[in-house]
Amino acid sequence: MLKSLFDGFEARGVPYVVLRNYESLPYASGGSDVDILVSEKDGLSARAIVLEAFGAANGWPVGIAESPGFFKVVGLGHTQAGNTGWWGLCVDVNVGLFFRGCRLLDGDKPLPVHLHNGVHVLSDGLAAILGVLKEVLNNDVYPEKYSGAARLAARNDWPLVATLLAPMRARPLVAFRALLLSTAPSEELRADCRQLRSLLFRDMLCSRPIFSVTHRLRYQWSRMRRYARPPGLVLAILGVDGAGKSTVISSLLPVLNAATHNTVVVKHLRPGWLPPLARLKGASRIDGPVLAPHAATPSGVLGSLLRLSYLTLDYVVGYWLWTRPLIAKSPTVVVFDRYAYDMAFDPRRFRVGLPGRVARWFAMLVPTPDLIVCLHGAPETIAARKQELPLEETRRQVEALREFAAREPRAVMVSTDITVEETHDQVLHALCKVLRRRSQTRF
């Protein structure tokens, strides 16, 4: 994948430079994202090159998060040699260097660049300074990992740095250099980080008001577009107790985290926007697995309807206020261990004393995940793994899961009677099919 990426830039004659974490390139990413800078005129070409590189490596983008002057592509795939060679990669492309509409870097000035294993990389000093600048503006944090090299460059190479960062204008540059030269602990510099950001916005607004407002509006519009069409996705893993949900999720996390740069979020059952009903009634919090899911007595008709309404509210409101903003901000993956459909498969678990079809009506109100993996297997094998449910109940839930998968277009049945590696491969292949369909309509 990485060789295809850099070969693509060379073949098209698109100048680029890697900003940081280049030591293992182009052979491996070293567990980091690939942070690239291209000129403003080469933004569309760079986007095409990155997508072609994913395709050439038998991979698919999970999603693309775009804003003016920047886009992030995360994706995964498997080697042609076999199913077990899965990889994930996150590529950040800075098209020029902007922060919410404020230009930070003079794109007409040549950058100090050198070759590392045939890859164009930025000088360590300037790379450290840009790393500090991005962290300060985006996160109000002065990053210790860049401080030494950035401080040295601010002392020895400031005329060059000031020339390249001239679009920031004089007052923000003075404040930025003072921040770079400071020896105070990073925790004490948060106020200075916020002050630099405010100063940058004020100076840019005063000096170039139309440009600043236009780019600011473009940035806000890009956020609205991502919320309407999120670059991330939701993956739900369903299965009877003992089907192997936790094991499968654990096997998926290394690949998914490599693709998303460690931003995968795993939730058990529901978003958790609302607290558990038991806690509202004064019960203490219980951590760990539920060992007797059918031990509690089901509620009556009214109580069951209240429970279903409360759980459904958490799914619906939690999706729009927690899950959706999360997958809209970046191309991450939210993994649910169980989902709303469990209310219909196993209402007794939720102390619901109503038929499964009633719970199914409530579940229909919940936003559908992008992929629903239904783990199944021989009921005897599943029941023997945990022995939390009687064999007959296990059989009933497995059959209910099969019926659900047959009528739900986004559901796929995956067996856990095979090895964990084989199940892991089948889930990732199913995910890649989803990514392939998304790519055909989005990219």
Side-chain angles (χ1 to χ4, degrees):
M1 164 64 198
L2 291 169
K3 189 174 188 309
S4 298
L5 176 64
F6 296 116
D7 286 349
F9 279 106
E10 297 293 343
R12 291 204 180 191
V14 175
Y16 74 92
V17 60
V18 174
L19 297 181
R20 57 190 175 86
N21 300 326
Y22 60 82
E23 290 78 10
S24 57
L25 297 177
Y27 312 110
S29 64
S32 177
D33 57 344
V34 179
D35 203 354
I36 296 174
L37 173 67
V38 300
S39 68
E40 293 176 50
K41 65 181 179 64
D42 290 324
L44 290 178
S45 298
R47 188 180 190 274
I49 289 168
V50 173
L51 292 177
E52 288 172 4
F54 273 102
N58 202 31
W60 299 96
V62 171
I64 303 177
E66 297 183 82
S67 58
F70 178 82
F71 65 88
K72 176 195 293 286
V73 185
V74 307
L76 57 87
H78 63 89
T79 62
Q80 298 285 1
N83 290 337
T84 56
W86 291 92
W87 54 267
L89 185 66
C90 174
V91 181
D92 291 348
V93 179
N94 300 271
V95 184
L97 198 63
F98 291 84
F99 174 68
R100 298 184 182 178
C102 298
R103 180 179 277 111
L104 307 176
L105 186 67
D106 189 338
D108 296 327
K109 298 288 192 300
L111 297 173
V113 177
H114 65 277
L115 283 176
H116 173 80
N117 294 333
V119 177
H120 298 270
V121 302
L122 195 62
S123 69
D124 291 343
L126 183 57
I129 283 180
L130 296 185
V132 170
L133 183 60
K134 291 171 68 175
E135 286 289 328
V136 165
L137 295 179
N138 286 299
N139 302 316
D140 288 337
V141 172
Y142 187 93
E144 293 286 352
K145 60 182 177 180
Y146 301 132
S147 60
R151 189 176 297 116
L152 188 63
R155 287 197 187 108
N156 300 335
D157 303 318
W158 188 249
L160 172 63
V161 173
T163 300
L164 294 173
L165 298 180
M168 289 179 59
R169 304 188 67 81
R171 289 198 305 165
L173 274 176
V174 171
F176 182 44
R177 190 182 188 217
L179 187 63
L180 290 170
L181 296 176
S182 174
T183 57
S186 59
E187 302 81 32
E188 299 178 10
L189 295 175
R190 282 189 175 273
D192 294 330
C193 295
R194 290 191 291 270
Q195 183 180 7
L196 173 62
R197 183 163 59 183
S198 299
L199 189 61
L200 180 66
F201 281 142
R202 287 199 302 269
D203 269 38
M204 187 63 67
L205 185 61
C206 292
S207 61
R208 303 183 66 185
I210 296 178
F211 176 88
S212 298
V213 171
T214 300
H215 275 257
R216 182 72 176 183
L217 290 175
R218 287 179 59 203
Y219 171 76
Q220 295 299 335
W221 174 245
S222 70
R223 294 182 62 186
M224 293 170 61
R225 287 181 61 191
R226 290 203 304 270
Y227 191 86
R229 203 173 192 184
L233 57 84
V234 178
L235 168 65
I237 308 291
L238 309 183
V240 185
D241 285 305
K245 296 183 296 297
S246 299
T247 302
V248 170
I249 290 172
S250 296
S251 74
L252 295 173
L253 287 181
V255 175
L256 296 180
N257 273 321
T260 62
H261 197 38
N262 300 312
T263 61
V264 176
V265 178
V266 180
K267 299 292 287 187
H268 179 68
L269 189 59
R270 59 193 184 94
W273 186 76
L274 296 175
L277 275 170
R279 199 178 310 164
L280 294 180
K281 295 189 294 184
S284 58
R285 179 172 178 174
I286 301 176
D287 296 316
V290 178
L291 300 179
H294 290 181
T297 303
S299 300
V301 174
L302 181 59
S304 296
L305 289 173
L306 287 174
R307 287 180 179 278
L308 288 172
S309 299
Y310 187 83
L311 292 168
T312 303
L313 181 66
D314 186 43
Y315 277 109
V316 175
V317 179
Y319 175 83
W320 291 108
L321 296 185
W322 181 81
T323 308
R324 185 79 167 203
L326 191 64
I327 62 175
K329 183 179 180 180
S330 66
T332 190
V333 179
V334 177
V335 182
F336 278 93
D337 179 352
R338 297 187 180 275
Y339 200 64
Y341 311 112
D342 281 273
M343 296 189 300
F345 304 147
D346 190 9
R348 180 75 181 271
R349 173 183 294 273
F350 303 91
R351 295 188 61 192
V352 171
L354 296 173
R357 66 176 180 275
V358 178
R360 189 159 59 244
W361 296 336
F362 281 86
M364 290 172 63
L365 302 174
V366 174
T368 307
D370 296 277
L371 176 64
I372 307 167
V373 176
C374 302
L375 300 180
H376 71 101
E380 295 78 10
T381 304
I382 294 174
R385 285 176 184 154
K386 280 196 172 182
Q387 300 179 356
E388 294 176 0
L389 297 174
L391 178 57
E392 285 305 313
E393 175 63 14
T394 301
R395 284 199 182 102
R396 186 196 66 78
Q397 291 191 28
V398 169
E399 185 57 32
L401 197 64
R402 291 181 189 275
E403 293 174 359
F404 166 78
R407 64 176 181 268
E408 171 53 57
R410 298 190 183 185
V412 58
M413 294 290 288
V414 176
S415 173
T416 57
D417 284 341
I418 52 181
T419 66
V420 174
E421 292 76 16
E422 290 172 320
T423 302
H424 158 275
D425 290 342
Q426 288 188 21
V427 174
L428 288 178
H429 277 299
L431 180 57
C432 282
K433 288 182 180 179
V434 173
L435 301 181
R436 188 180 303 120
R437 289 195 296 269
R438 279 167 47 118
S439 296
Q440 291 170 352
T441 58
R442 295 190 176 193
F443 316 134

